[in-house]
Amino acid sequence: MFVRALTHHQVMPNFLDFVFPFGHQQYAEDLLFSGFREDTRLTTSDGGLVIPELGRSGMEIRICYSLKSVEPKERDRDFPWSIRQTAVYHSFDLKTGKSCWIVMKGSHLIRDRVRSASSSSDGDSSSSELSSFESISSSLGSALEMHLVLCDWCDEDWRWYLTFLEKELQRLTRRALIVDIPKARSFVQLETFQEVKPHVKSITRTLSDYTKRTLSSSRKQTNSTSSMEKGEYRPSFPQPPMPPLSPPLSPLDEGAPLDPPVLPPGMGPVSSPAIYQKPRKDEVFSVRTLQQVQVIEDKTNEVLLILEANIKIVRDIRRHYQTVLASDECPPQLRSESKYKVAYFEKRIANIIGDLEIQHSSAQTLLRLLETRKSILSGLLNISNIEASKEFATNSQHSASKMQAMTEAMHLLAVKTKQETVSMRVITLVTLFFLPGTFISVRYLDSISAITVMSTDIIKFPSKQESGQIFQLGALQLWLIITLPLMAITFIAWWLVYWCVNRKQDQEGGGSFRRWLH
C-alpha cells in the first residue's frame, strides 16, 4: 500500500533514505543520519510528468528532508528524554498550486500540531494561513507555513534537554570540586620514612612452645627461640636490603582534622574526605560514576551533531525557496504575490536558526565542562587507586614478614627434628649391634645357680680358695659362632624392612620419606 501511494504521487526515491531508519529497534540505528534532497523542475523540458486531470503541470518543487528533535518520555523516570525524527516529503505545483505532503513520525504530535495550526483561535479554519488555498500564492504561503511548523518542532525542548544533562553532570561531579585531598609526602625526605616491623610474636611463640614440648634443645637453641619470642627476627640466610616504606597517606596521620570547606548553597556538608572512603560509599570516586559521565558526554555529542544537521537542513530549505523564486522560470505573478510571505518565512527561519545556534553553543560549553569534570574524576580515581595500592603493599609487607618469621621457625623445627632423627638412627644401629650378643650372654637365676643361656663361662673370676682356668677359648668361639650370624641376620632384616618402607613411599609420594630420613 505504501509503495502504491509513493508511486501514485511520484515521490522522489531519495525519500526512502529517510524512511528506512524508522521501525521498532532495541538500539537506535542511523540516529545521526539526516539530510535535504531536492528535485525541482521549473520547466516541462526537465522531464516533469504532465497530468492535467490530477493538477500536475510538470513544473513543481519537490523536496524531502529529515529533522530531529528531543521529546519528553514519561515511561523512563531516570532518563525522561528521547530523540525523535521526522521524515518529510513535499511537492508543490507552480502553475496549479497543488501540494502533496507525506510526513512520517512515530507519534501523532505533528498531526495534532497541523490540525491545531489549520484552525484559528475561534475554530474557523478558513482564516488560518495554513489552510488558505484561494490562489497559487496563498497555496505557496500555506506550504511555507507548514515548513515553519516542522522547523519549530526541531527547535523545541533542546534547552530543557541540555539543562537536564547539566543537572545530571552537576549531581554526579559536584562533590569532586570540594573534596579535600591531603598533600602527598615527598619521597626525598628520608626522615619521614617509617620502617614496618613484622609482628611475628604469636606465630613463633606457638611454634617454639610446640618444639619445647616435643624435642629437647640445648641452651643455645633455647636462647635463640626466646629471642624470636621477643620479636627479634634474625634471618638465617642473607637478605637484600629492604627499601623503606612511606606511611600510607591518611588524613588521620596529618594531625588534627582540617576544617570543612565552605560550600555553596544547596550542597550538603562533607563529613570527611571521600578520597579515603571505600568507592561504594561515595559514588564520586567509583567507576560507575565515570561511566555515567561518559554516557552524558555521548548524549551531548549526539546533540551537537543533530543541531548541526538541523541548522544545515533549515538553511537549505530557505536557500532552495530563495533560489526557486529568484529564477527566471518562476512565474512572475507568483513571485510578486508571494514576496511578503517569503520575507516572513525567511525571518522566521532566521529566528529558528539563531535559536539552534544558541543551543549548539550551549552544547559545546557543556561538552567542555564534561571533559574537565572527567579529567578531575579520573585524577581522583587514580589517587584512590594509588592509596589502595599503598595499603595493599603495606599489608603485603606485613604478611611477607609474618611468613618469613614462620619459615624461620619451621626451619629451626626442621633442624631440631633432623638432629633427633640422626640420634635415633645411631641409637638404633647401636642397639641392633649389641642386641644379639646381649641376648646370648644374658644371665638368669634359677633356684639352683646363676648360669648363661649356653651354660658356658668365657671369663670366670674364682675366689681365693678356688683355682683353675680363668679364660675359656672354646666358650668364646662358641659365643662368636652363634652371635655373629645372628647379628648379621638382624641387620639384614632391619635393612629389608627399611627398603620396603622406602619403596612404598617412593611409589606413593615421590621419595619424600627417604629425603626426610637422609
Side-chain angles (χ1 to χ4, degrees):
M1 187 65 182
F2 181 66
V3 175
R4 291 183 179 181
L6 298 180
T7 305
H8 174 77
H9 293 286
Q10 293 296 296
V11 177
M12 299 167 50
N14 294 330
F15 179 64
L16 295 177
D17 293 339
F18 306 129
V19 173
F20 290 149
F22 285 87
H24 180 71
Q25 302 169 356
Q26 183 177 2
Y27 301 101
E29 298 179 2
D30 292 336
L31 180 62
L32 303 179
F33 175 74
S34 297
F36 173 83
R37 307 288 187 271
E38 60 90 14
D39 188 16
T40 300
R41 301 169 181 178
L42 299 180
T43 60
T44 56
S45 61
D46 293 337
L49 183 62
V50 180
I51 306 178
E53 294 80 7
L54 298 179
R56 299 178 185 176
S57 63
M59 298 175 58
E60 58 181 351
I61 300 174
R62 298 201 306 171
I63 60 174
C64 62
Y65 55 87
S66 175
L67 292 174
K68 292 181 176 61
S69 183
V70 63
E71 297 177 358
K73 180 174 56 176
E74 297 180 356
R75 291 179 297 177
D76 191 355
R77 295 183 179 181
D78 296 333
F79 201 86
W81 293 96
S82 177
I83 295 178
R84 306 294 174 83
Q85 58 184 343
T86 299
V88 181
Y89 169 79
H90 171 61
S91 65
F92 178 78
D93 196 286
L94 295 176
K95 286 188 175 181
T96 62
K98 296 290 185 178
S99 293
C100 176
W101 287 95
I102 300 178
V103 180
M104 296 196 65
K105 179 75 169 66
S107 63
H108 301 304
L109 179 62
I110 299 298
R111 185 195 65 180
D112 297 339
R113 291 194 178 188
V114 172
R115 289 179 178 177
S116 176
S118 300
S119 61
S120 61
S121 58
D122 56 358
D124 186 9
S125 61
S126 60
S127 60
S128 175
E129 183 70 23
L130 188 60
S131 58
S132 178
F133 305 101
E134 289 80 7
S135 61
I136 297 178
S137 61
S138 61
S139 298
L140 180 61
S142 175
L144 297 178
E145 190 70 23
M146 181 65 180
H147 286 301
L148 289 177
V149 171
L150 296 170
C151 293
D152 284 335
W153 170 80
C154 77
D155 183 33
E156 294 177 354
D157 293 331
W158 290 111
R159 170 191 172 188
W160 310 115
Y161 182 49
L162 292 174
T163 302
F164 168 77
L165 294 179
E166 185 177 0
K167 287 183 178 179
E168 288 296 310
L169 175 63
Q170 295 294 344
R171 180 182 64 83
L172 294 172
T173 63
R174 182 181 289 115
R175 292 175 61 86
L177 301 177
I178 60 175
V179 66
D180 183 29
I181 302 177
K183 183 179 180 182
R185 300 184 180 183
S186 175
F187 286 92
V188 181
Q189 300 175 359
L190 299 179
E191 63 274 5
T192 60
F193 291 166
Q194 179 180 357
E195 184 178 0
V196 179
K197 295 184 178 180
H199 301 283
V200 297
K201 183 176 181 180
S202 59
I203 299 176
T204 55
R205 175 175 296 175
T206 303
L207 294 175
S208 61
D209 291 344
Y210 176 76
T211 305
K212 289 178 181 179
R213 291 194 302 266
T214 56
L215 302 174
S216 62
S217 61
S218 61
R219 182 178 301 273
K220 179 178 179 180
Q221 294 172 343
T222 305
N223 294 335
S224 175
T225 306
S226 302
S227 63
M228 293 183 64
E229 292 181 359
K230 297 178 181 179
E232 298 177 358
Y233 169 68
R234 296 185 179 90
S236 61
F237 47 89
Q239 296 288 328
M242 183 70 66
L245 298 176
S246 60
L249 298 178
S250 173
L252 301 177
D253 298 335
E254 299 292 336
L258 301 177
D259 295 333
V262 180
L263 306 182
M267 296 173 59
V270 182
S271 58
S272 62
I275 189 64
Y276 300 104
Q277 299 177 1
K278 294 182 178 180
R280 295 298 181 183
K281 294 183 179 179
D282 194 342
E283 63 176 0
V284 174
F285 305 104
S286 64
V287 179
R288 175 63 178 168
T289 303
L290 195 60
Q291 293 175 341
Q292 292 175 349
V293 173
Q294 181 63 42
V295 171
I296 297 177
E297 184 178 4
D298 295 341
K299 297 295 183 181
T300 307
N301 286 321
E302 290 180 358
V303 171
L304 283 174
L305 295 176
I306 292 174
L307 289 177
E308 290 177 359
N310 286 348
I311 292 173
K312 184 179 182 301
I313 293 170
V314 173
R315 284 177 177 171
D316 290 340
I317 295 173
R318 180 183 63 179
R319 187 182 302 110
H320 182 69
Y321 278 97
Q322 290 175 347
T323 303
V324 170
L325 295 176
S327 64
D328 297 335
E329 289 81 5
C330 181
Q333 182 180 359
L334 177 62
R335 186 189 305 129
S336 61
E337 292 178 358
S338 304
K339 180 178 180 180
Y340 296 102
K341 293 182 176 62
V342 173
Y344 175 76
F345 173 75
E346 292 178 355
K347 183 179 67 175
R348 289 281 306 277
I349 288 294
N351 293 335
I352 293 174
I353 292 175
D355 292 341
L356 290 174
E357 289 178 345
I358 291 175
Q359 302 304 327
H360 186 271
S361 301
S362 300
Q364 287 180 333
T365 303
L366 178 59
L367 186 60
R368 289 193 293 268
L369 181 61
L370 276 164
E371 293 175 354
T372 304
R373 296 294 175 86
K374 276 185 62 179
S375 62
I376 294 176
L377 283 179
S378 299
L380 293 176
L381 283 174
N382 290 335
I383 293 176
S384 179
N385 292 335
I386 291 173
E387 293 301 321
S389 300
K390 288 183 178 179
E391 183 178 357
F392 179 76
T394 303
N395 294 336
S396 300
Q397 174 67 21
H398 291 169
S399 300
S401 301
K402 293 179 180 179
M403 291 301 297
Q404 192 172 9
M406 183 183 296
T407 303
E408 288 295 324
M410 293 300 295
H411 176 70
L412 179 61
L413 182 61
V415 170
K416 295 178 180 179
T417 305
K418 185 177 181 180
Q419 294 175 354
E420 296 297 330
T421 302
V422 173
S423 301
M424 292 301 298
R425 290 184 63 186
V426 172
I427 294 173
T428 302
L429 292 175
V430 172
T431 302
L432 292 176
F433 182 80
F434 286 100
L435 180 61
T438 305
F439 176 75
I440 297 301
S441 303
V442 68
R443 288 176 175 271
Y444 68 94
L445 297 177
D446 57 2
S447 58
I448 302 175
S449 61
I451 59 175
T452 62
V453 174
M454 302 301 299
S455 299
T456 59
D457 294 331
I458 299 174
I459 299 175
K460 183 179 180 181
F461 297 94
S463 60
K464 294 180 179 181
Q465 293 80 12
E466 297 177 355
S467 62
Q469 187 178 1
I470 298 176
F471 175 75
Q472 299 181 9
L473 180 60
L476 177 60
Q477 292 176 350
L478 180 61
W479 182 83
L480 291 176
I481 291 172
I482 298 175
T483 302
L484 292 179
L486 186 60
M487 184 183 299
I489 293 172
T490 303
F491 276 101
I492 292 173
W494 176 84
W495 183 84
L496 289 175
V497 173
Y498 177 74
W499 179 80
C500 292
V501 172
N502 283 345
R503 183 178 181 182
K504 184 178 180 180
Q505 292 295 331
D506 290 339
Q507 294 177 354
E508 294 179 355
S512 59
F513 179 74
R514 176 182 298 178
R515 289 193 298 268
W516 181 75
L517 287 177
H518 291 282

